[in-house]
Amino acid sequence: MKLKLLIRLSLVAGAAVAFSSCGLIAPLVRTALPFAGIKMAFACLPEEAMIDTPAGPRSIRDITAGDTVTGYRGQPVLVQQKHVYREQPETEFLRATFDDGATLEACGMHRVAGTRMRELEPGQVVAGRRVLGITSRRGVQRSYDLMTGDEGYRINGIPVNSMTTESQVIGSMI
């Protein structure tokens, strides 16, 4: 009984912290959630991200629920939800540069074509494109994610997973 209570308290506290910033995910996973025996993943894109839409690239800042974007599978899909987060100055964002000149930036936990950004390596092929390099930066003030009618959306033609689904799984367990 005490373990069950500890698990619930860990999930509630962990979810509250996690929903406030990408930068708090690593400490959360290392401390609160191991007690629950689950892994929480939640991540986002910097405010400068340009999302593919049928009319051309559009700033993620300007996209709202009900807008149409190019979905994960390359077809137009509706945005169901938009999530906005205030980031901590120390939150690290990674930028992958591809062999065709395309770039994509997200925090390390975000999935790109099913692979977390932090797991991408130079030479790896993602959605038919070879990763040339990975750089990092800090200081992003706001980040965003979109929940769409399929698994996500596209940036520079690259499929990007919506991470809101992973965060909702945790919420439904509480």
Side-chain angles (χ1 to χ4, degrees):
M1 188 64 156
K2 288 182 182 182
L3 179 59
K4 191 173 185 177
L5 178 61
L6 179 61
I7 289 170
R8 283 182 185 241
L9 290 174
S10 294
L11 286 171
V12 169
V17 170
F19 291 125
S20 66
S21 172
C22 284
L24 299 174
I25 294 303
L28 172 66
V29 171
R30 284 193 302 270
T31 56
L33 291 180
F35 294 108
I38 62 171
K39 178 180 178 184
M40 179 173 176
F42 183 73
C44 34
L45 305 172
E47 56 194 331
E48 299 86 10
M50 297 297 287
I51 306 300
D52 295 351
T53 74
R58 195 164 154 211
S59 172
I60 196 167
R61 287 182 297 236
D62 299 332
I63 295 172
T64 60
D67 288 350
T68 300
V69 299
T70 303
Y72 187 88
R73 299 184 184 278
Q75 301 299 313
V77 295
L78 287 178
V79 174
Q80 296 172 345
Q81 296 178 9
K82 177 181 177 180
H83 296 246
V84 182
Y85 307 96
R86 188 177 137 251
E87 291 298 338
Q88 301 300 314
E90 65 274 6
T91 301
E92 181 180 46
F93 283 77
L94 302 173
R95 176 190 285 278
T97 303
F98 296 88
D99 59 356
D100 64 354
T103 61
L104 193 145
E105 188 173 17
C107 79
M109 291 294 287
H110 209 102
R111 293 182 189 274
V112 176
T115 302
R116 295 213 190 274
M117 281 290 288
R118 69 178 184 199
E119 296 169 355
L120 293 180
E121 297 180 6
Q124 182 175 350
V125 176
V126 177
R129 299 171 179 187
R130 186 169 307 280
V131 176
L132 291 181
I134 306 284
T135 57
S136 69
R137 74 172 170 123
R138 298 181 193 289
V140 171
Q141 294 182 352
R142 291 205 187 333
S143 64
Y144 299 83
D145 196 16
L146 304 173
M147 178 192 268
T148 65
D150 66 4
E151 295 94 331
Y153 39 90
R154 288 185 175 235
I155 296 176
N156 290 319
I158 301 165
V160 177
N161 298 85
S162 172
M163 300 305 290
T164 56
T165 305
E166 284 190 48
S167 66
Q168 289 178 346
V169 169
I170 295 303
S172 69
M173 298 176 72
I174 297 174

